[in-house]
């Protein structure tokens, strides 16, 4: 990796590993992260030697979602286009990650929030440290959601629980995520690196063609991601220009409580 890289990519005997490496910012998704992550996923998808993909992260947190400081700069510069990142970055990224033909393992440590949760749920198998914490977080800044959560959460949890998590922004633990079926395995935090690598290696050494067919069969049983992504883009564009969203983002950065006026 060069000094400007915030995403790492390596391939070892059929196992590709993509690493979020903006640890100092809790792997918040600024433009560089989003663009490099999409490029890395596209490179993996085009590499016929890859038989499994592991997505992991450096630092204490997997990903805290959109970089809000960058987002505020966009709101100040051009409010009408501040949410263009949904169509330009998030939707292509989620489609690309969901479309990887080989098994995708996501190793989750620490906070997994907002679009970070969307990225995690786009994988096939999730393994998490016992100290991981999750939340949707969008309504806290007067947005509805993006990164496919209106599809993946409903598919995984049902409409009632998904709606509650998206509206109320409730935080939930690794144990709850396991109980609800959002993750496949929970391990001690110190063992996450080794355990996720071993799981991904097992898949890379396994029957790739069979795994690809499993992915195809599971995907066919659940349609609507593209439609959900498009609806989320429309909602983001509308809400991104609202007074509630701007005041909530400002309050978040100022570490004060937001006041919502409903517009």
């Amino acid at each position: 990796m060069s000094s400007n890289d915030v995403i790492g990519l390596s391939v070892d005997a059929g196992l590709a590993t993509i690493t979020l490496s903006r640890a100092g910012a809790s792997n918040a998704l600024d433009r560089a992260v989003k663009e490099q992550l999409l490029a890395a996923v596209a490179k993996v998808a085009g590499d016929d030697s890859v038989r499994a993909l592991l997505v992991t992260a450096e630092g204490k947190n997997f990903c805290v979602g959109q970089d809000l400081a960058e987002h505020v700069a966009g709101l100040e510069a051009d409010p009408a286009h501040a949410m263009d990142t949904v169509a330009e970055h998030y939707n292509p990224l989620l489609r690309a990650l969901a479309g990887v033909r080989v098994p995708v393992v996501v190793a989750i440590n620490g906070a997994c929030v907002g679009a970070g949760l969307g990225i995690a749920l786009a994988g096939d198998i999730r393994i998490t440290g016992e100290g991981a914490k999750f939340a949707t977080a969008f309504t806290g800044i007067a947005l509805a959601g993006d990164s496919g959560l209106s599809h993946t959460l409903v598919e995984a949890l049902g409409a009632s629980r998904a709606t509650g998590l998206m509206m109320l922004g409730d935080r939930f633990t690794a144990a709850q995520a396991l109980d609800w079926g959002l993750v496949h395995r929970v391990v001690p935090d110190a063992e996450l690196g080794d355990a996720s690598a071993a799981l991904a290696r097992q898949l890379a050494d396994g029957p790739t063609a069979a795994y690809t067919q499993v992915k195809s069969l599971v995907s066919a049983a659940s349609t609507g991601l593209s439609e959900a992504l498009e609806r989320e883009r429309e909602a983001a564009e509308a809400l991104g220009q609202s007074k509630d969203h701007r005041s909530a983002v400002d309050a978040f950065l100022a570490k004060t409580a937001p006041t919502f006026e409903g517009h």
Side-chain angles (χ1 to χ4, degrees), residues 8 17 79 88-89 109 116 125 143 154 181 203 209 221 233 237:
T17 301
E88 293 177 5
H89 302 115
N109 58 303
I125 299 175
L143 294 176
V154 171
L203 291 165
R233 180 194 62 77
E237 287 187 354

Side-chain angles (χ1 to χ4, degrees), residues 148-162:
L149 287 175
S150 64
H151 171 76
T152 52
L153 279 177
V154 171
E155 287 295 314
L157 303 177
S160 179
R161 178 164 280 162

Side-chain angles (χ1 to χ4, degrees), residues 2-216:
S2 74
S3 59
N4 294 322
D5 287 340
V6 285
I7 296 294
L9 171 60
S10 64
V11 179
D12 177 22
L15 174 58
T17 301
I18 291 176
T19 305
L20 282 65
S21 300
R22 197 182 177 216
S26 293
N27 296 308
L29 298 159
D30 65 0
R31 187 180 188 92
V33 174
K34 288 178 282 192
E35 290 181 346
Q36 291 182 31
L37 182 54
L38 176 57
V41 172
K43 189 171 183 178
V44 168
D47 186 344
D48 291 338
S49 74
V50 172
R51 300 181 61 185
L53 168 62
L54 172 63
V55 179
T56 186
E58 294 180 350
K60 295 181 179 180
N61 297 306
F62 177 73
C63 178
V64 295
Q66 171 65 38
D67 184 311
L68 288 183
E70 181 182 80
H71 179 58
V72 166
L75 285 172
E76 293 175 345
D78 189 357
H81 294 284
M83 301 307 297
D84 285 359
T85 188
V86 175
E88 293 177 5
H89 302 115
Y90 287 122
N91 287 5
L93 172 59
L94 270 294
R95 288 190 177 103
L97 192 55
V100 172
R101 74 187 189 287
V102 298
V104 178
V105 176
V106 184
I108 303 166
N109 58 303
C112 181
V113 176
L117 178 58
I119 290 169
L121 293 181
D124 300 308
I125 299 175
R126 282 160 292 283
I127 180 171
T128 178
E130 60 190 0
K133 304 291 184 183
F134 304 84
T136 58
F138 287 96
T139 56
I141 53 171
L143 294 176
D146 57 42
S147 62
L149 287 175
S150 64
H151 171 76
T152 52
L153 279 177
V154 171
E155 287 295 314
L157 303 177
S160 179
R161 178 164 280 162
T163 299
L165 291 175
M166 293 188 73
M167 282 190 175
L168 301 173
D170 294 338
R171 297 180 182 181
F172 55 99
T173 65
Q176 288 174 302
L178 180 65
D179 183 55
W180 297 343
L182 278 180
V183 303
H184 179 70
R185 187 179 302 169
V186 176
V187 300
D189 292 332
E191 299 176 13
L192 179 61
D194 289 342
S196 59
L199 177 58
R201 171 52 63 192
Q202 176 185 342
L203 291 165
D205 292 343
T208 307
Y211 294 152
T212 299
Q213 288 299 326
V214 168
K215 291 190 63 155
S216 178

